Coordinates of all heavy atoms in Angstrom, one line a residue:
M1 N 101.4 90.8 91.5 CA 101.2 91.2 92.9 C 101.8 92.5 93.2 O 102.1 92.9 94.3 CB 101.9 90.1 93.8 CG 101.7 90.3 95.2 SD 102.6 89.1 96.1 CE 103.3 90.1 97.4
N2 N 101.9 93.4 92.2 CA 102.5 94.7 92.4 C 101.3 95.6 92.9 O 100.4 96.0 92.2 CB 103.0 95.2 91.1 CG 103.7 96.6 91.3 OD1 103.6 97.2 92.4 ND2 104.4 97.0 90.3
N3 N 101.5 96.0 94.2 CA 100.5 96.9 94.8 C 101.0 98.4 94.8 O 100.5 99.2 95.6 CB 100.1 96.5 96.2 CG 101.3 96.4 97.1 OD1 102.4 96.8 96.7 ND2 101.1 96.0 98.3
G4 N 101.9 98.7 93.9 CA 102.5 100.0 93.9 C 103.7 100.2 94.8 O 104.3 101.3 94.8
Q5 N 103.9 99.3 95.7 CA 105.0 99.4 96.6 C 106.2 98.6 96.1 O 106.0 97.5 95.5 CB 104.6 98.8 98.0 CG 103.5 99.5 98.7 CD 103.8 100.9 99.0 OE1 104.9 101.2 99.6 NE2 102.9 101.9 98.7
P6 N 107.4 99.1 96.3 CA 108.6 98.3 95.9 C 108.7 97.1 96.7 O 108.3 97.0 97.8 CB 109.8 99.3 96.1 CG 109.3 100.3 97.1 CD 107.8 100.3 96.9
H7 N 109.4 96.1 96.1 CA 109.7 94.8 96.8 C 110.5 95.1 98.0 O 111.3 96.1 98.0 CB 110.4 93.9 95.9 CG 110.5 92.5 96.4 ND1 111.5 92.2 97.4 CD2 109.8 91.4 96.2 CE1 111.3 90.9 97.7 NE2 110.3 90.4 97.0
P8 N 110.3 94.4 99.1 CA 111.0 94.7 100.4 C 112.5 94.6 100.3 O 113.3 95.1 101.1 CB 110.5 93.8 101.4 CG 109.5 92.9 100.7 CD 109.3 93.4 99.3
Y9 N 113.0 93.9 99.3 CA 114.5 93.7 99.1 C 115.1 94.9 98.3 O 116.3 95.0 98.2 CB 114.8 92.4 98.4 CG 114.4 91.2 99.2 CD1 114.3 90.0 98.6 CD2 114.1 91.3 100.6 CE1 113.9 88.8 99.3 CE2 113.7 90.1 101.3 CZ 113.6 88.9 100.6 OH 113.2 87.8 101.3
V10 N 114.3 95.7 97.7 CA 114.8 96.9 96.9 C 115.6 97.8 97.9 O 115.1 98.1 99.0 CB 113.7 97.6 96.2 CG1 114.1 99.0 95.7 CG2 113.1 96.7 95.1
G11 N 116.7 98.2 97.5 CA 117.5 99.2 98.3 C 119.0 98.8 98.2 O 119.4 98.0 97.4
L12 N 119.7 99.5 99.1 CA 121.2 99.3 99.1 C 121.6 98.3 100.2 O 121.2 98.4 101.3 CB 121.9 100.6 99.3 CG 123.4 100.6 99.2 CD1 123.8 100.2 97.8 CD2 124.0 102.0 99.6
W13 N 122.4 97.3 99.8 CA 122.9 96.3 100.7 C 124.4 96.4 100.7 O 125.0 96.7 99.6 CB 122.5 94.9 100.2 CG 121.1 94.7 100.2 CD1 120.2 95.1 99.2 CD2 120.3 93.9 101.1 NE1 118.9 94.7 99.5 CE2 118.9 94.0 100.7 CE3 120.6 93.3 102.3 CZ2 117.9 93.3 101.4 CZ3 119.6 92.7 103.0 CH2 118.3 92.7 102.6
V14 N 125.1 96.3 101.8 CA 126.5 96.5 101.9 C 127.2 95.4 102.8 O 126.5 94.9 103.7 CB 126.9 97.9 102.5 CG1 126.4 99.0 101.6 CG2 126.3 98.1 103.9
T15 N 128.4 95.2 102.5 CA 129.2 94.3 103.4 C 129.6 95.0 104.7 O 129.5 96.3 104.7 CB 130.5 93.8 102.7 OG1 131.2 94.9 102.2 CG2 130.1 92.8 101.5
A16 N 129.9 94.3 105.7 CA 130.2 95.0 107.0 C 131.3 96.0 106.9 O 131.3 97.0 107.6 CB 130.5 93.9 108.1
D17 N 132.3 95.7 106.0 CA 133.4 96.7 105.8 C 133.1 97.8 104.8 O 133.9 98.7 104.6 CB 134.7 95.9 105.4 CG 134.6 95.2 104.1 OD1 133.6 95.4 103.4 OD2 135.6 94.5 103.8
G18 N 131.9 97.7 104.2 CA 131.5 98.8 103.3 C 132.2 98.7 101.9 O 131.9 99.5 101.0
H19 N 133.0 97.7 101.7 CA 133.8 97.5 100.4 C 132.8 97.2 99.3 O 133.0 97.7 98.2 CB 134.9 96.5 100.6 CG 135.7 96.3 99.3 ND1 136.6 97.3 99.0 CD2 135.7 95.4 98.4 CE1 137.2 96.9 97.8 NE2 136.6 95.7 97.5
I20 N 131.9 96.4 99.5 CA 130.9 96.0 98.4 C 129.6 96.6 98.7 O 129.1 96.4 99.8 CB 130.9 94.5 98.3 CG1 132.3 94.0 97.9 CG2 129.9 94.0 97.2 CD1 132.4 92.5 97.9
R21 N 129.0 97.2 97.7 CA 127.7 97.9 97.9 C 126.8 97.4 96.7 O 127.2 97.7 95.5 CB 127.9 99.4 97.9 CG 128.7 99.8 99.1 CD 129.2 101.3 99.0 NE 129.8 101.7 97.7 CZ 131.1 101.3 97.4 NH1 131.8 100.6 98.2 NH2 131.6 101.7 96.3
Q22 N 125.8 96.7 97.0 CA 124.9 96.2 95.9 C 123.5 96.9 96.0 O 122.8 96.8 97.0 CB 124.7 94.7 96.1 CG 124.0 94.1 95.0 CD 123.9 92.6 95.1 OE1 122.9 92.1 95.7 NE2 124.9 91.9 94.7
E23 N 123.2 97.6 95.0 CA 121.9 98.3 94.9 C 120.9 97.4 94.1 O 121.2 97.1 93.0 CB 122.0 99.6 94.2 CG 120.6 100.3 94.2 CD 120.6 101.6 93.3 OE1 121.6 101.9 92.7 OE2 119.6 102.3 93.4
L24 N 119.8 96.9 94.8 CA 118.8 96.2 94.1 C 117.7 97.3 93.8 O 117.1 97.9 94.7 CB 118.2 95.1 95.0 CG 119.2 94.0 95.4 CD1 118.5 93.0 96.4 CD2 119.8 93.3 94.2
R25 N 117.5 97.5 92.5 CA 116.5 98.5 92.0 C 115.1 97.9 91.8 O 115.0 96.7 91.5 CB 117.1 99.2 90.8 CG 118.4 99.8 91.0 CD 119.0 100.6 89.9 NE 118.4 100.4 88.6 CZ 118.9 100.5 87.4 NH1 120.2 100.9 87.4 NH2 118.3 100.3 86.3
A26 N 114.2 98.8 91.9 CA 112.8 98.4 91.7 C 112.5 97.9 90.3 O 111.5 97.1 90.1 CB 111.8 99.5 92.1
D27 N 113.3 98.2 89.3 CA 113.1 97.8 88.0 C 113.6 96.4 87.7 O 113.7 96.0 86.5 CB 113.6 98.8 87.0 CG 115.1 99.0 87.0 OD1 115.8 98.4 87.9 OD2 115.6 99.8 86.3
G28 N 114.1 95.7 88.7 CA 114.7 94.4 88.5 C 116.1 94.4 88.1 O 116.7 93.3 87.7
R29 N 116.8 95.5 88.2 CA 118.2 95.6 87.8 C 119.0 95.8 89.1 O 118.5 96.2 90.2 CB 118.5 96.8 87.0 CG 117.7 96.8 85.7 CD 118.4 96.0 84.6 NE 119.7 96.5 84.3 CZ 120.7 95.8 83.7 NH1 120.4 94.6 83.2 NH2 121.9 96.3 83.5
Y30 N 120.3 95.4 89.1 CA 121.2 95.6 90.2 C 122.4 96.3 89.7 O 122.8 96.2 88.5 CB 121.5 94.3 91.0 CG 122.4 93.4 90.2 CD1 123.8 93.5 90.4 CD2 121.9 92.4 89.3 CE1 124.7 92.6 89.7 CE2 122.8 91.6 88.7 CZ 124.1 91.7 88.8 OH 125.0 90.9 88.1
D31 N 123.1 97.0 90.6 CA 124.3 97.6 90.4 C 125.2 97.4 91.6 O 124.9 97.8 92.7 CB 124.1 99.1 90.1 CG 125.3 99.8 89.6 OD1 126.4 99.7 90.2 OD2 125.2 100.5 88.6
E32 N 126.4 96.8 91.3 CA 127.3 96.5 92.5 C 128.6 97.2 92.3 O 129.2 97.1 91.3 CB 127.5 94.9 92.5 CG 128.4 94.5 93.7 CD 128.5 93.0 93.7 OE1 127.4 92.3 93.8 OE2 129.6 92.5 93.6
A33 N 128.9 97.9 93.4 CA 130.2 98.7 93.4 C 131.1 97.9 94.3 O 130.7 97.3 95.3 CB 130.0 100.1 94.0
R34 N 132.4 98.0 94.0 CA 133.4 97.3 94.8 C 134.6 98.3 95.0 O 135.2 98.7 94.1 CB 134.0 96.1 94.1 CG 132.9 95.0 94.1 CD 133.4 93.7 93.5 NE 132.4 92.7 93.7 CZ 132.6 91.5 94.2 NH1 133.7 91.2 94.7 NH2 131.6 90.6 94.3
G35 N 134.7 98.7 96.3 CA 135.7 99.7 96.6 C 135.4 101.0 95.9 O 134.3 101.5 95.9
S36 N 136.4 101.5 95.2 CA 136.2 102.8 94.4 C 135.6 102.5 93.0 O 135.4 103.4 92.3 CB 137.5 103.6 94.3 OG 138.4 102.8 93.7
R37 N 135.5 101.2 92.7 CA 135.0 100.8 91.3 C 133.5 100.8 91.3 O 132.9 99.9 91.8 CB 135.6 99.5 90.9 CG 135.3 99.1 89.5 CD 136.0 97.8 89.2 NE 135.5 97.3 87.9 CZ 135.4 96.0 87.6 NH1 135.9 95.1 88.4 NH2 134.9 95.7 86.5
R38 N 132.9 101.9 90.7 CA 131.5 102.0 90.6 C 131.0 101.0 89.5 O 131.7 100.8 88.5 CB 131.1 103.4 90.3 CG 131.6 104.4 91.4 CD 131.1 105.7 91.1 NE 129.8 105.8 91.8 CZ 129.1 106.9 91.8 NH1 129.4 108.0 91.1 NH2 128.0 106.9 92.5
S39 N 129.8 100.5 89.6 CA 129.2 99.6 88.6 C 130.2 98.5 88.2 O 130.3 98.2 87.0 CB 128.7 100.4 87.4 OG 127.8 101.4 87.8
A40 N 130.8 97.9 89.2 CA 131.7 96.8 88.9 C 131.0 95.6 88.2 O 131.5 94.9 87.3 CB 132.4 96.3 90.1
Y41 N 129.7 95.4 88.7 CA 128.9 94.4 88.1 C 127.5 95.0 88.0 O 127.0 95.6 88.9 CB 128.8 93.1 89.0 CG 130.1 92.5 89.2 CD1 130.9 92.7 90.3 CD2 130.6 91.6 88.2 CE1 132.2 92.1 90.4 CE2 131.9 91.0 88.3 CZ 132.6 91.2 89.4 OH 133.8 90.6 89.5
T42 N 126.8 94.7 86.9 CA 125.5 95.2 86.7 C 124.7 94.1 86.0 O 125.3 93.2 85.3 CB 125.4 96.5 85.8 OG1 126.0 96.2 84.5 CG2 126.1 97.6 86.5
G43 N 123.4 94.1 86.2 CA 122.6 93.0 85.5 C 121.2 93.1 86.0 O 120.7 94.1 86.6
S44 N 120.5 91.9 85.9 CA 119.1 91.8 86.4 C 119.0 90.8 87.4 O 119.9 89.9 87.6 CB 118.2 91.5 85.2 OG 118.6 90.2 84.6
Y45 N 117.9 90.9 88.2 CA 117.7 89.9 89.2 C 116.2 89.6 89.3 O 115.4 90.4 88.9 CB 118.2 90.3 90.6 CG 117.4 91.4 91.2 CD1 116.4 91.1 92.2 CD2 117.6 92.8 90.9 CE1 115.7 92.1 92.8 CE2 116.9 93.8 91.5 CZ 115.9 93.5 92.4 OH 115.1 94.4 93.0
T46 N 115.9 88.4 89.8 CA 114.5 88.0 90.1 C 114.4 87.5 91.5 O 115.4 86.9 92.0 CB 114.0 87.0 89.1 OG1 114.8 85.8 89.1 CG2 113.9 87.5 87.7
V47 N 113.3 87.6 92.1 CA 113.1 87.2 93.5 C 112.0 86.1 93.5 O 110.9 86.4 92.9 CB 112.7 88.3 94.4 CG1 112.5 87.8 95.8 CG2 113.8 89.4 94.4
T48 N 112.2 85.0 94.1 CA 111.2 84.0 94.3 C 111.3 83.7 95.8 O 112.2 83.1 96.3 CB 111.5 82.7 93.5 OG1 111.7 83.0 92.1 CG2 110.4 81.7 93.7
G49 N 110.3 84.1 96.5 CA 110.3 84.0 98.0 C 111.4 84.8 98.6 O 111.5 86.0 98.5
T50 N 112.4 84.1 99.2 CA 113.5 84.7 99.8 C 114.8 84.4 99.0 O 115.9 84.8 99.4 CB 113.8 84.2 101.2 OG1 114.0 82.8 101.2 CG2 112.6 84.6 102.1
H51 N 114.6 83.9 97.8 CA 115.8 83.5 96.9 C 115.9 84.5 95.8 O 114.9 84.9 95.2 CB 115.5 82.1 96.4 CG 116.6 81.6 95.5 ND1 117.8 81.1 96.0 CD2 116.7 81.6 94.1 CE1 118.6 80.8 94.9 NE2 118.0 81.1 93.8
L52 N 117.1 84.9 95.5 CA 117.4 85.8 94.4 C 118.2 85.1 93.3 O 119.2 84.3 93.7 CB 118.1 87.0 94.8 CG 117.3 88.0 95.7 CD1 117.4 87.7 97.1 CD2 117.9 89.4 95.5
D53 N 117.9 85.3 92.1 CA 118.7 84.8 90.9 C 119.2 86.0 90.2 O 118.4 86.9 89.8 CB 117.9 83.9 90.0 CG 117.6 82.5 90.6 OD1 118.6 81.8 90.9 OD2 116.4 82.2 90.8
Y54 N 120.5 86.1 90.0 CA 121.1 87.2 89.3 C 121.6 86.7 87.9 O 122.1 85.6 87.7 CB 122.4 87.6 90.1 CG 122.1 88.2 91.4 CD1 122.0 87.4 92.5 CD2 122.1 89.6 91.6 CE1 121.8 87.9 93.8 CE2 121.9 90.1 92.9 CZ 121.8 89.2 94.0 OH 121.6 89.8 95.2
L55 N 121.5 87.6 86.9 CA 122.1 87.4 85.6 C 122.8 88.7 85.3 O 122.3 89.8 85.1 CB 121.0 87.2 84.6 CG 121.5 87.1 83.1 CD1 122.5 86.0 83.0 CD2 120.3 86.9 82.2
D56 N 124.2 88.6 85.3 CA 125.0 89.7 85.0 C 125.0 90.1 83.6 O 124.7 89.2 82.7 CB 126.5 89.4 85.4 CG 127.4 90.6 85.4 OD1 127.4 91.3 86.3 OD2 128.1 90.7 84.3
D57 N 125.2 91.3 83.2 CA 125.2 91.8 81.9 C 126.2 91.1 81.0 O 126.1 91.0 79.8 CB 125.4 93.3 81.8 CG 124.2 94.1 82.3 OD1 123.0 93.5 82.3 OD2 124.3 95.2 82.7
T58 N 127.3 90.5 81.6 CA 128.3 89.8 80.8 C 127.9 88.3 80.6 O 128.6 87.6 79.9 CB 129.7 89.9 81.5 OG1 129.6 89.2 82.8 CG2 130.1 91.3 81.7
G59 N 126.8 87.9 81.3 CA 126.3 86.5 81.1 C 126.5 85.5 82.2 O 125.9 84.5 82.2
F60 N 127.3 85.9 83.3 CA 127.4 84.9 84.3 C 126.2 85.0 85.3 O 125.5 86.0 85.3 CB 128.7 85.0 85.1 CG 128.9 86.2 86.0 CD1 128.4 86.2 87.3 CD2 129.6 87.3 85.6 CE1 128.5 87.3 88.1 CE2 129.7 88.4 86.4 CZ 129.2 88.4 87.7
T61 N 125.9 84.0 86.0 CA 124.8 83.9 86.9 C 125.3 83.7 88.4 O 126.4 83.3 88.6 CB 123.9 82.8 86.6 OG1 124.6 81.5 86.7 CG2 123.3 82.9 85.2
A62 N 124.5 84.1 89.3 CA 124.8 84.0 90.7 C 123.4 83.9 91.4 O 122.4 84.1 90.9 CB 125.6 85.2 91.2
T63 N 123.5 83.5 92.7 CA 122.3 83.4 93.5 C 122.5 84.0 94.9 O 123.6 84.3 95.3 CB 121.9 81.9 93.7 OG1 123.0 81.3 94.5 CG2 121.7 81.2 92.4
G64 N 121.4 84.2 95.5 CA 121.4 84.8 96.9 C 120.2 84.4 97.6 O 119.2 84.0 97.0
D65 N 120.3 84.5 98.9 CA 119.1 84.2 99.8 C 119.1 85.2 100.9 O 120.1 85.5 101.5 CB 119.2 82.8 100.4 CG 119.0 81.7 99.3 OD1 117.9 81.5 98.9 OD2 120.0 81.1 98.9
V66 N 117.9 85.7 101.3 CA 117.8 86.6 102.4 C 117.3 85.7 103.6 O 116.3 85.0 103.5 CB 116.8 87.7 102.1 CG1 116.6 88.6 103.4 CG2 117.3 88.5 101.0
R67 N 118.1 85.7 104.7 CA 117.8 85.0 105.9 C 117.9 86.0 107.1 O 119.0 86.6 107.2 CB 118.7 83.8 106.1 CG 118.6 82.8 105.0 CD 119.4 81.5 105.3 NE 120.8 81.7 105.4 CZ 121.7 81.6 104.4 NH1 121.3 81.3 103.2 NH2 123.0 81.7 104.7
D68 N 116.9 86.1 107.8 CA 116.9 87.0 109.0 C 117.3 88.4 108.6 O 118.0 89.1 109.4 CB 117.8 86.4 110.1 CG 117.3 85.1 110.7 OD1 116.1 84.9 110.8 OD2 118.1 84.3 111.0
G69 N 116.8 88.9 107.5 CA 117.1 90.3 107.1 C 118.5 90.5 106.5 O 118.9 91.6 106.3
V70 N 119.3 89.4 106.3 CA 120.6 89.5 105.8 C 120.7 88.8 104.4 O 120.2 87.7 104.3 CB 121.6 88.8 106.8 CG1 123.0 88.8 106.2 CG2 121.5 89.5 108.2
L71 N 121.3 89.5 103.5 CA 121.5 88.9 102.1 C 122.8 88.1 102.0 O 123.9 88.7 102.2 CB 121.5 90.1 101.1 CG 121.7 89.7 99.6 CD1 120.7 88.6 99.1 CD2 121.7 90.9 98.8
H72 N 122.6 86.8 101.8 CA 123.7 85.9 101.6 C 123.8 85.7 100.1 O 123.0 85.0 99.5 CB 123.5 84.6 102.3 CG 123.4 84.8 103.8 ND1 124.5 84.7 104.6 CD2 122.3 85.1 104.5 CE1 124.1 84.9 105.9 NE2 122.8 85.2 105.8
H73 N 124.8 86.4 99.5 CA 125.0 86.4 98.0 C 126.3 85.7 97.7 O 127.4 86.3 97.9 CB 125.0 87.9 97.5 CG 125.3 88.0 96.1 ND1 124.6 87.5 95.0 CD2 126.4 88.7 95.5 CE1 125.1 87.8 93.9 NE2 126.2 88.5 94.1
E74 N 126.1 84.5 97.2 CA 127.3 83.6 97.0 C 128.2 83.6 98.3 O 127.6 83.3 99.3 CB 128.1 84.1 95.8 CG 127.3 84.0 94.5 CD 126.9 82.6 94.1 OE1 127.6 81.6 94.4 OE2 125.9 82.5 93.4
H75 N 129.4 84.1 98.3 CA 130.2 84.0 99.5 C 130.1 85.3 100.3 O 130.8 85.5 101.3 CB 131.7 83.8 99.1 CG 132.3 84.9 98.3 ND1 132.0 85.0 96.9 CD2 133.1 85.9 98.6 CE1 132.6 86.1 96.5 NE2 133.3 86.7 97.5
L76 N 129.3 86.3 99.9 CA 129.2 87.6 100.5 C 128.1 87.6 101.5 O 127.1 86.9 101.3 CB 129.0 88.7 99.5 CG 130.0 88.9 98.4 CD1 129.5 89.9 97.4 CD2 131.3 89.3 99.0
V77 N 128.2 88.4 102.6 CA 127.1 88.7 103.5 C 126.9 90.2 103.5 O 127.8 90.9 103.7 CB 127.5 88.2 104.9 CG1 126.4 88.6 105.9 CG2 127.8 86.7 105.0
L78 N 125.7 90.5 103.1 CA 125.4 92.0 102.9 C 124.2 92.3 103.8 O 123.3 91.5 104.0 CB 125.0 92.3 101.5 CG 126.1 92.0 100.5 CD1 125.8 90.8 99.6 CD2 126.4 93.2 99.6
Y79 N 124.3 93.5 104.4 CA 123.3 94.1 105.3 C 122.6 95.3 104.6 O 123.3 96.0 103.8 CB 123.9 94.5 106.6 CG 124.7 93.4 107.3 CD1 126.0 93.1 107.0 CD2 124.0 92.6 108.2 CE1 126.7 92.1 107.6 CE2 124.7 91.5 108.9 CZ 126.0 91.3 108.6 OH 126.6 90.3 109.2
R80 N 121.4 95.6 105.0 CA 120.8 96.8 104.6 C 121.7 98.0 105.0 O 122.3 97.9 106.0 CB 119.4 97.0 105.2 CG 118.4 96.1 104.7 CD 117.4 97.0 104.0 NE 116.4 96.2 103.4 CZ 116.0 96.4 102.2 NH1 116.5 97.4 101.5 NH2 115.0 95.7 101.7
E81 N 121.7 99.0 104.2 CA 122.6 100.1 104.5 C 122.4 100.7 105.9 O 123.4 101.1 106.5 CB 122.4 101.2 103.4 CG 123.2 102.5 103.6 CD 122.9 103.5 102.6 OE1 121.7 103.6 102.2 OE2 123.9 104.2 102.1
D82 N 121.2 100.7 106.4 CA 120.9 101.3 107.7 C 120.9 100.2 108.8 O 120.4 100.5 109.9 CB 119.7 102.1 107.6 CG 118.5 101.3 107.2 OD1 118.6 100.1 106.8 OD2 117.3 101.8 107.2
D83 N 121.3 99.0 108.5 CA 121.2 97.9 109.5 C 122.5 98.0 110.4 O 123.6 97.8 109.9 CB 121.2 96.6 108.8 CG 121.0 95.4 109.8 OD1 121.3 95.5 111.0 OD2 120.4 94.4 109.3
P84 N 122.4 98.2 111.7 CA 123.5 98.3 112.6 C 124.4 97.1 112.7 O 125.5 97.1 113.0 CB 123.0 98.7 114.0 CG 121.5 98.4 113.9 CD 121.1 98.4 112.5
R85 N 123.8 95.9 112.3 CA 124.6 94.7 112.3 C 125.7 94.7 111.2 O 126.6 94.0 111.3 CB 123.7 93.5 112.0 CG 122.7 93.2 113.1 CD 121.8 92.0 112.7 NE 120.9 92.4 111.6 CZ 120.1 91.5 111.0 NH1 120.0 90.3 111.4 NH2 119.4 91.9 110.0
G86 N 125.5 95.6 110.2 CA 126.5 95.7 109.2 C 127.6 96.7 109.4 O 128.5 96.8 108.6
E87 N 127.6 97.3 110.5 CA 128.6 98.3 110.8 C 129.9 97.6 111.1 O 130.0 96.7 111.9 CB 128.2 99.2 111.9 CG 127.0 100.1 111.5 CD 126.5 101.0 112.7 OE1 127.1 100.9 113.8 OE2 125.6 101.7 112.4
A88 N 131.0 98.1 110.5 CA 132.3 97.5 110.8 C 132.7 97.8 112.2 O 132.4 98.8 112.8 CB 133.4 98.2 109.8
A89 N 133.3 96.8 112.8 CA 133.7 96.9 114.2 C 135.0 97.8 114.3 O 135.7 97.9 113.4 CB 134.0 95.5 114.8

């Protein structure tokens, strides 16, 4: 179903405080930064509907779901980089 456009979830997702930044890349890879630690976690991901399955390069797995434009990744809540709902108060 690739029509030349990236999947709508591709891009940068951040926590409200900006501490965690997760980039979902068009090639099916992700790169997650935590604080000043770049590439704290890297690996691959797949999308089925609104559900994401992650496989970290070290072997652990995680899941996420996008609900109302918000990525719920395990215990984290991430917003699109440009989503005003994610701005720290």
Side-chain angles (χ1 to χ4, degrees):
M1 183 183 138
N2 185 351
N3 60 2
Q5 298 297 313
H7 190 279
Y9 298 161
V10 167
L12 187 62
W13 298 80
V14 297
T15 54
D17 63 4
H19 182 74
I20 298 173
R21 297 164 312 283
Q22 185 179 95
E23 179 187 10
L24 299 179
R25 299 183 349 204
D27 64 358
R29 300 277 303 162
Y30 72 90
D31 190 309
E32 184 173 300
R34 292 186 172 232
S36 62
R37 186 172 167 210
R38 303 183 90 179
S39 300
Y41 298 99
T42 59
S44 61
Y45 73 95
T46 57
V47 179
T48 306
T50 60
H51 180 81
L52 289 87
D53 287 297
Y54 295 84
L55 175 59
D56 188 82
D57 289 338
T58 62
F60 74 82
T61 61
T63 62
D65 292 283
V66 175
R67 297 189 299 270
D68 297 323
V70 178
L71 174 56
H72 299 265
H73 172 62
E74 298 297 332
H75 65 281
L76 301 173
V77 176
L78 298 110
Y79 302 88
R80 286 247 181 225
E81 179 180 36
D82 58 354
D83 187 334
R85 295 177 294 175
E87 293 177 0

